[in-house]
Amino acid sequence: GERDKINKLESRVEAVNSELIELQKGQTQDYRDLARLHLGRIASGELEQQLGHVERQIVKLLEQREHALLDLKSRITSSEEQQQALEQERAAQAELVDKAAETIDEAEATTQARLDQDESYQAQRAKTEAAERKAMHAEDKARLSHEELQQKGESYRNDPLFMYLWERNFGLPAYDSSGLIRSLDGKVARLVGYADARANFARLNEIPERLSAHAEAVRSMADKAYADLKALDEAARKADGMPALDASLAEKQGVLSDMDLKIEQVELQLQKLHNERTQFSSGQDGHTQKAIGFLAHEFAREDIAQLRYDAMNTPMPDDDVIVARMAARNAQVDS
């Protein structure tokens, strides 16, 4: 029974402590809200004639804030000017890249028009196209042959006696058995008609292999013809100065890429500066928060009655509401 009483008492103490913590949080926030209002009056010059030591310290903090804000605005302006300059440079560089690409297109068209009139080039192109068609036809035949092997060879692969003899190379010089094993294998072969089946299965396997080898050879010839045609292309491009144009375009594109990277870095820095500017606008900057914390600490040292008196002597109703809420919360804590 005593333990039960102790547990209930501890639960009650824990609940009261939690409630006190929440009240303390609210009280702390109210001190900061009151400090924020007072800070606004100091910043506006409303209390210029009645500044005390604390207020003068706050004024110094606000002056530091103003200097920091001016410096921030200057950095934002500088970054924006840098961004604009880079954008202009990029536009000019992009135009150079476009012109270089157009020059290459025109040169390519001129080279191709000349090659279209070159009999040796035309002959090689016709040879290449014919070789490619032949290679594709051979590859199709090889593919169909392999599919046929899979379909027609299934009955052979599903016959365990046939596959046993096949894997042992029965009927071939590679068969290596004698005595009773050879005699038994012979009986099995006669039983399943292995001789004819082996010949048929061998042909079925041989055709795809032969067609695949032929397709590889034809493809090799087609690749050789294409390489010869490409060599003629490259020789013509070299004769017309195309490699130098390609190098010029690559260089200009590299400069453009570097500019894009610089612009991206400036944009990131500018975004960071604007975020910092937003903190100043919303009063979340370090200088403002330091001033609010300093004032809130000073208010926390004063009696509620004094705070209520000071609030009644201001033209703003907001501080009266805050102080009244703080007084009610103190009464709740005392109870």
Side-chain angles (χ1 to χ4, degrees):
E2 292 300 323
R3 171 55 59 186
D4 184 57
K5 291 180 182 179
I6 291 174
N7 289 337
K8 290 180 179 179
L9 181 59
E10 288 178 347
S11 297
R12 175 57 182 161
V13 170
E14 183 178 350
V16 171
N17 284 336
S18 298
E19 187 176 357
L20 287 173
I21 290 174
E22 292 302 319
L23 291 173
Q24 185 61 45
K25 288 180 180 179
Q27 201 77 335
T28 300
Q29 185 59 49
D30 278 341
Y31 278 124
R32 293 186 64 83
D33 291 342
L34 191 62
R36 191 181 299 276
L37 288 175
H38 199 67
L39 183 64
R41 297 179 66 199
I42 294 175
S44 66
E46 182 182 340
L47 302 179
E48 186 174 357
Q49 302 301 324
Q50 46 181 320
L51 290 180
H53 172 72
V54 173
E55 286 79 5
R56 285 193 292 271
Q57 292 295 109
I58 296 301
V59 169
K60 291 181 180 179
L61 289 174
L62 292 178
E63 290 175 351
Q64 294 174 7
R65 177 187 184 276
E66 187 63 24
H67 290 315
L69 181 57
L70 290 175
D71 178 67
L72 176 60
K73 290 179 178 179
S74 175
R75 285 185 287 145
I76 289 176
T77 300
S78 177
S79 293
E80 289 175 343
E81 291 174 350
Q82 183 183 6
Q83 182 187 37
Q84 293 174 0
L86 285 173
E87 289 289 356
Q88 293 175 355
E89 292 179 14
R90 188 198 182 282
Q93 186 64 28
E95 186 175 352
L96 293 177
V97 170
D98 291 340
K99 289 182 178 179
E102 291 176 2
T103 301
I104 289 179
D105 290 340
E106 294 172 357
E108 289 278 9
T110 301
T111 300
Q112 192 58 50
R114 181 168 62 81
L115 290 175
D116 288 340
Q117 304 301 320
D118 189 320
E119 294 183 358
S120 61
Y121 180 83
Q122 292 301 312
Q124 182 60 43
R125 182 158 66 183
K127 179 181 178 181
T128 301
E129 292 173 351
E132 178 63 24
R133 287 194 298 270
K134 188 176 180 180
M136 292 179 63
H137 180 66
E139 289 167 349
D140 285 340
K141 289 182 64 177
R143 177 180 55 80
L144 292 174
S145 180
H146 278 284
E147 292 177 356
E148 183 180 19
L149 172 61
Q150 293 300 317
Q151 295 172 359
K152 294 184 177 181
E154 185 175 1
S155 60
Y156 293 95
R157 289 189 295 271
N158 290 338
D159 187 337
L161 295 178
F162 172 80
M163 290 306 298
Y164 162 76
L165 296 173
W166 173 267
E167 292 172 356
R168 290 177 60 81
N169 295 311
F170 186 81
L172 298 175
Y175 178 71
D176 184 20
S177 291
S178 59
L180 180 60
I181 298 300
R182 177 181 286 272
S183 175
L184 291 175
D185 285 350
K187 289 183 179 181
V188 172
R190 290 189 294 273
L191 177 65
V192 300
Y194 177 75
D196 292 338
R198 187 191 66 78
N200 293 334
F201 192 55
R203 281 195 299 272
L204 198 60
N205 281 276
E206 179 184 356
I207 293 175
E209 293 177 2
R210 187 169 64 248
L211 291 178
S212 293
H214 174 68
E216 290 178 3
V218 175
R219 170 53 64 188
S220 179
M221 294 173 60
D223 291 343
K224 176 64 169 57
Y226 175 77
D228 293 341
L229 181 65
K230 185 177 180 181
L232 292 176
D233 272 318
E234 292 177 349
R237 294 181 84 259
K238 185 176 181 181
D240 292 344
M242 295 295 295
L245 295 177
D246 290 337
S248 177
L249 175 60
E251 180 183 0
K252 290 179 174 59
Q253 185 63 55
V255 173
L256 185 63
S257 298
D258 291 340
M259 287 183 175
D260 286 335
L261 181 59
K262 290 180 181 178
I263 290 174
E264 182 181 356
Q265 292 172 343
V266 171
E267 287 176 346
L268 290 175
Q269 178 63 25
L270 191 56
Q271 182 62 48
K272 182 179 179 181
L273 292 174
H274 279 301
N275 291 339
E276 190 174 345
R277 179 71 178 86
T278 301
Q279 289 184 332
F280 273 89
S281 300
S282 61
Q284 298 301 315
D285 60 282
H287 298 83
T288 301
Q289 291 301 305
K290 184 176 180 180
I292 290 175
F294 186 66
L295 274 175
H297 176 71
E298 291 300 319
F299 285 147
R301 296 169 58 184
E302 293 188 16
D303 185 72
I304 289 293
Q306 181 62 43
L307 292 177
R308 180 178 292 170
Y309 175 79
D310 293 339
M312 291 176 61
N313 288 280
T314 65
M316 301 177 301
D318 294 343
D319 52 356
D320 294 286
V321 174
I322 294 174
V323 173
R325 189 167 59 230
M326 294 170 66
R329 192 178 290 110
N330 277 352
Q332 186 176 359
V333 170
D334 292 339
S335 65

